[in-house]
């Protein structure tokens, strides 16, 4: 960023588009960081990373109702907006997009975006409609901003894959960047939902990352993948997780099951703790292979 300036605020697609048009007309590249707020160091890493490859950065903050199921935490989801704006003041961000729900979804809103099988497996199975909500809101954010680049965290790995596919299928033309998972010193992936964990649950939580690391090592040493997945579930239950929604080695692009580690894979897991679903994943590259 070349000059010191305050954070601009856009409330409507029109306001944002006007500013983006002016930037792009001046030859500047524009990046978008979609978030639901309650910003932590993981979100801020996305801002820093995208700022390295664009000239102007917009952070959107919108708790998107359509990606929450009826029994999920939409109402309880944290919304510390003043704190978020203060956190962004120290970042290489130029603007925030803060639409309200009525702007995003007027009463006669009637279009939605579905991403086929990719959106129905894994998270899509446990959260029906979730990726339809995500795909629709991301299409709106990319359309409203016309950003050149947008960035998403590997923390929500399936979301990243879904969005890459969506952007390709619908010819949206936005470059999609991925950012690695930012973790606590004990390995727990940062998440706005970690705030729901009490001290006891917080002590159990890092076992998720530890277990994934152990499974990765065992797979790289030639362990049979289905047996390792079962071992992962057993370890997580033993560590104190109440349930394991999945723990599975997948193809990194199709997210289909793989039978052997003969090329890079993704190990994805979701385990439940004190009513909170904790997500984590790791890249697993065969040793001596790809
Ligand atoms: P959310 O506000 O949860 O919708 O997340 C907004 C973006 O931040 C998504 O692209 C997430 O994948 C990303 N993100 C969330 N937590 C982390 C993390 N611990 N490390 C990296 N990216 C993250």
């Amino acid at each position: 960023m070349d000059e010191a300036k305050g954070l601009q605020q856009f409330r409507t697609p029109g306001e944002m588009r006007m500013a983006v048009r002016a930037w792009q007309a001046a030859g500047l590249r524009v990046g978008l960081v979609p978030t639901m707020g309650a910003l932590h160091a993981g979100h801020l890493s996305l801002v820093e990373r995208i700022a390295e490859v664009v000239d102007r950065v917009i952070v959107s903050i919108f708790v998107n109702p359509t990606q929450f199921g009826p029994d999920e935490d939409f109402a309880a989801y944290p919304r510390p907006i003043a704190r978020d704006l203060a956190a962004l003041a120290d970042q290489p961000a130029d603007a925030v997009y803060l639409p309200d729900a009525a702007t995003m979804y007027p009463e006669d809103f009637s279009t939605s975006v579905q991403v086929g099988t990719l959106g129905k497996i894994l998270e899509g199975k446990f959260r029906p409609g979730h990726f339809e909500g995500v795909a629709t809101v991301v299409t709106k954010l990319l359309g409203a901003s016309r950003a050149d680049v947008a960035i998403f965290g590997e923390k929500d790995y399936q979301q990243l894959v879904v969005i890459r596919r969506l952007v390709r299928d619908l010819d949206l033309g936005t470059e999609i960047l991925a950012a690695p998972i930012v973790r606590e010193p004990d390995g727990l992936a940062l998440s706005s939902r970690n705030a729901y964990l009490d001290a006891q649950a917080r002590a159990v939580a890092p076992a998720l990352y530890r277990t994934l690391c152990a499974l990765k090592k065992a797979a790289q040493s030639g362990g049979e993948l289905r047996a390792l997945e079962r071992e992962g579930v057993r370890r997580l239950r033993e560590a104190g997780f109440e349930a394991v929604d999945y723990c599975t080695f997948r193809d990194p692009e199709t997210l289909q099951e793989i039978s052997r580690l003969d090329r890079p894979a993704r190990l994805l897991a979701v385990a439940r703790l004190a009513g909170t679903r904790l997500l984590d994943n790791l890249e697993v590259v065969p040793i001596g292979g790809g």
Side-chain angles (χ1 to χ4, degrees):
M1 294 295 107
D2 40 13
E3 69 235 43
K5 53 196 151 4
L7 207 55
Q8 268 183 272
Q9 290 191 19
F10 310 131
R11 301 261 169 195
T12 64
E15 279 173 24
M16 176 160 62
R17 192 169 307 147
M18 222 157 62
V20 171
R21 265 205 199 123
W23 286 331
Q24 288 171 336
L28 302 175
R29 267 161 59 85
V30 177
L32 178 70
V33 186
T35 80
M36 298 205 300
L39 302 180
H40 51 63
H43 296 114
L44 302 183
S45 78
L46 306 190
V47 176
E48 282 166 19
R49 194 166 272 257
I50 202 169
E52 288 171 11
V53 299
V54 299
D55 305 293
R56 292 291 181 270
V57 175
I58 304 172
V59 178
S60 67
I61 299 180
F62 179 63
V63 184
N64 176 37
T66 65
Q67 70 188 68
F68 288 78
D71 300 327
E72 294 182 1
D73 57 343
F74 175 68
Y77 200 85
R79 291 166 172 84
I81 187 66
R83 210 188 69 203
D84 286 350
L85 294 177
L88 289 174
D90 297 334
Q91 294 295 317
D94 299 275
V96 280
Y97 180 43
L98 299 166
D100 61 22
T103 303
M104 291 297 266
Y105 301 111
E107 260 179 33
D108 57 353
F109 187 88
S110 51
T111 304
S112 77
V113 180
Q114 294 211 33
V115 196
T117 307
L118 266 188
K120 302 212 164 53
I121 56 176
L122 300 170
E123 281 304 276
K125 210 165 119 194
F126 286 91
R127 304 183 70 187
H130 171 67
F131 284 116
E132 191 175 339
V134 168
T136 303
V137 81
V138 170
T139 303
K140 285 171 66 67
L141 293 170
L142 296 181
S145 66
R146 309 277 208 268
D148 300 285
V149 185
I151 190 164
F152 297 86
E154 289 180 347
K155 162 79 188 352
D156 301 282
Y157 187 80
Q158 187 176 4
Q159 170 174 281
L160 172 66
V161 173
V162 161
I163 288 165
R164 281 194 195 285
R165 181 71 64 89
L166 151 79
V167 166
R168 189 205 69 186
D169 287 352
L170 299 185
D171 304 319
L172 299 184
T174 316
E175 184 186 336
I176 302 298
L177 296 184
I181 302 175
V182 176
R183 299 178 179 283
E184 299 282 4
D186 62 11
L188 176 64
L190 297 191
S191 163
S192 307
R193 290 190 168 99
N194 291 350
Y196 300 153
L197 303 176
D198 62 19
Q200 202 185 343
R202 179 61 188 82
V204 172
L208 179 55
Y209 178 63
R210 277 204 307 275
T211 302
L212 292 189
C213 289
L215 295 185
K216 170 178 169 169
K217 218 167 139 197
Q220 288 172 327
S221 312
E224 202 274 313
L225 301 186
R226 296 291 90 73
L228 290 177
E229 292 169 358
R230 286 192 296 275
E231 169 69 9
V233 172
R234 198 189 56 75
R235 284 193 192 203
L236 290 168
R237 299 277 290 135
E238 208 172 84
F241 285 92
E242 292 133 22
V244 180
D245 288 352
Y246 53 85
C247 176
T248 175
F249 289 89
R250 296 280 164 139
D251 177 276
E253 276 159 39
T254 64
L255 299 182
Q256 292 299 307
E257 262 187 2
I258 55 163
S259 49
R260 287 176 33 224
L261 189 63
D262 50 6
R263 59 208 149 91
R266 203 86 196 180
L267 171 57
L268 303 118
V270 172
R272 298 183 193 225
L273 195 54
T276 299
R277 296 176 73 248
L278 295 185
L279 283 71
D280 206 342
N281 67 85
L282 287 183
E283 185 184 37
V284 184
V285 178
I287 287 179

